[in-house]
Amino acid sequence: MEAAEYKNLLVTIEDRVAVVQINRPQALNALDARTLDELETAFRVLREDQAVGVLIVTGTGEKAFVAGADIRELTKLDGVSGRAYSLRGLEVFDLIHSSPKPVIAAINGYCLGGGCELALACHIRIASENARFGQPEVKLGLIPGYGGTQRLPRLVGTGRAIEMLLTGDVIEAREAERIGVVNRVVPGAELLAYCRDLAKRIMANAPLATTLALNAVNAGSDLPLDRALAVEAALFGLACGTEDMKEGTKAFIDKRKPSFKGR
Ligand code: CAA
């Protein structure tokens, strides 16, 4: 799928930052099957694109990041197709979560159900003051199917996650920040600029080291501590074998700025 063929996404690349904007404002950017397909294509393309260092995911308009999976599609599911539906979303979100390049969710409004799960699959979450978060699936007779029952408790702890999952309550941006759903809340008008600046600060560092740090966190998060620490040691060793590590440490000794090459 060529960029020009995206129907429900707007993708731009500027200063090595790719912005993937979900663009179905008529449905508050709800994720239908086509949008999931397009997200998969965009992430497959952008993670290989040498011109891209960091990705930002956001929604079109000021009202919604993503208001969930498309409820019109959910009405057609049965037991078998429902499982396949969930696995498909998990596959696409895992592609995002396992991206070797950092992915920032710029949450610009309603972030509900599958939208919240999309944000949870990203590596860093920044929200506008008007963002609203929730896992309201139980109100539809459902449970989250795109990772919410697993990624939310890992992020905010079981008690807080279960409260959100069982009440389906919508919480405001400041509360989401307080309990750790998002890293930071910024004024809506500054959201994208803040995320771009964050991307710039990340990209000033050695790119292989940022990828290895992401790999270490992702690989270690489900392992017992001793095995997770062994993963860290192995990836630390890989980092020590890079030209950028030689450059970064030498630049410190020489009292100059490092010049990283991504090698
Ligand atoms: N799917 C499909 N369409 C949606 C949608 C969704 N998740 N959310 C909003 N829309 C559509 C509405 O149907 C409406 O379309 P029409 O104009 O054609 O009627 C349009 O977007 C605007 O929405 P509202 O009129 O409802 O706007 P509002 O300001 O009154 O309310 C809202 C906003 C509180 C976000 C409300 O739209 C809402 O509750 N949306 C559903 C949220 C939800 O339940 N999400 C979870 C989905 S299930 C899921 O995600 C499963 C999973 O884990 C994989």
Side-chain angles (χ1 to χ4, degrees), residues 25-28 30 63 67-72 74 85 110 112-115 117 135-137 140 142-146:
Q26 71 283 6
L28 300 188
K63 191 167 171 182
D70 192 303
I71 296 171
R72 283 174 186 79
L74 295 178
Y85 176 95
Y110 283 115
L112 302 175
E117 294 166 293
Q135 296 287 168
E137 287 87 348
L140 301 167
L142 278 170
I143 67 168
Y146 289 170

Side-chain angles (χ1 to χ4, degrees), residues 7-81:
K7 183 169 155 263
N8 298 335
L9 296 184
L10 298 170
V11 179
T12 56
I13 301 173
E14 196 185 317
D15 297 331
R16 308 204 65 239
V17 178
V19 177
V20 177
Q21 196 170 15
I22 296 160
N23 186 36
R24 290 187 78 214
Q26 71 283 6
L28 300 188
N29 302 323
L31 299 174
D32 62 359
R34 175 160 185 139
T35 309
L36 270 186
D37 288 348
E38 293 187 4
L39 273 176
E40 179 182 36
T41 303
F43 271 84
R44 283 199 193 289
V45 170
L46 294 168
R47 60 190 270 163
E48 300 303 329
D49 189 335
Q50 297 299 317
V52 173
V54 171
L55 294 95
I56 295 175
V57 183
T58 192
T60 291
E62 288 172 9
K63 191 167 171 182
F65 171 69
V66 169
D70 192 303
I71 296 171
R72 283 174 186 79
E73 288 186 347
L74 295 178
T75 60
K76 299 168 199 149
L77 298 178
D78 60 21
V80 173
S81 60

